[in-house]
Amino acid sequence: MNAKRRDILSILTYVLLFLVVLVVVLKFVFGFQYVVILTDSMKPNINPNDLVVTYPSHNVHVGDVILYNIEIGNSTYRILHRVAEIRTDENGQIYYITKGDNRERPDPWVVYPDQVIGKPLLVIPKIGVIWYYTPLIILGLIIIFIASLAYDLAWAFLEEPPIPPKSRKADFQLLRRKKIKVYHHKRR
């Protein structure tokens, strides 16, 4: 492998490592969330298989797109919809009426401020397909790394130990002795 190609691979490795560290730091330190869109409810701006990066925010206004948790049955879902209205219930608590951009009617549930996770910061088209399989990709890379390590260890144990090279001085002395013997042998 030539030096130029090796340098490019090194740069790509460092960029990939930087991106992984950035994603982890944004998630665990700053509370960013990553969600893959599964439905067409927010078309045309946000499509299925888009990856949406959201930042924590509880400052919600009508027209904002928000990511929120909603419990339906025994399952909890994260939904990304637009706030259509802000209302107050009989206890004086604020709640939001949400609606998908590609839907004619609002959602059949209400969203309270404590359910809001954040607002979208970035939409990356079609990356959700890869993001969805990230754990499988990481597992594959780990398996490849372990296999290559095992291969190297196997060769290290199965290979015969290298014969230590003789010093040049020893080679020279041996050659000199042979020449001396040959010279004396011819004279007789």
Side-chain angles (χ1 to χ4, degrees), residues 8-157:
I8 290 171
L9 287 175
S10 294
I11 290 170
L12 287 175
T13 303
Y14 286 123
V15 167
L16 183 63
L17 181 65
F18 173 76
L19 289 175
V20 168
V21 168
L22 181 67
V23 165
V24 170
V25 167
L26 287 176
K27 174 151 179 76
F28 293 109
V29 175
F30 297 107
F32 283 57
Q33 296 291 317
Y34 308 96
V35 63
V36 176
I37 304 302
L38 301 175
T39 67
D40 66 347
S41 67
M42 290 300 289
K43 270 187 160 183
N45 298 326
I46 302 171
N47 298 302
N49 295 324
D50 288 355
L51 177 69
V52 179
V53 180
T54 64
Y55 65 96
S57 176
H58 296 286
N59 186 13
V60 178
H61 303 287
V62 173
D64 288 350
V65 176
I66 59 171
L67 177 67
Y68 59 90
N69 283 327
I70 191 77
E71 195 167 312
I72 302 172
N74 293 331
S75 299
T76 302
Y77 297 95
R78 292 191 308 174
I79 297 177
L80 187 82
H81 277 175
R82 192 173 301 279
V83 175
E85 295 179 47
I86 299 177
R87 296 184 184 167
T88 307
D89 64 8
E90 60 274 355
N91 297 330
Q93 252 191 326
I94 294 175
Y95 66 91
Y96 310 116
I97 304 294
T98 57
K99 176 182 164 304
D101 289 351
N102 196 23
R103 303 290 184 247
E104 292 185 19
R105 296 191 178 138
D107 298 330
W109 52 77
V110 296
V111 179
Y112 288 94
D114 61 335
Q115 294 173 285
V116 175
I117 298 170
K119 295 180 180 180
L121 174 70
L122 180 65
V123 177
I124 307 172
K126 304 297 179 195
I127 296 296
V129 173
I130 297 170
W131 187 265
Y132 202 69
Y133 293 105
T134 299
L136 189 60
I137 293 168
I138 291 173
L139 177 65
L141 291 174
I142 289 171
I143 289 172
I144 289 170
F145 175 75
I146 291 171
S148 68
L149 187 62
Y151 179 80
D152 289 343
L153 285 173
W155 271 109
F157 287 122

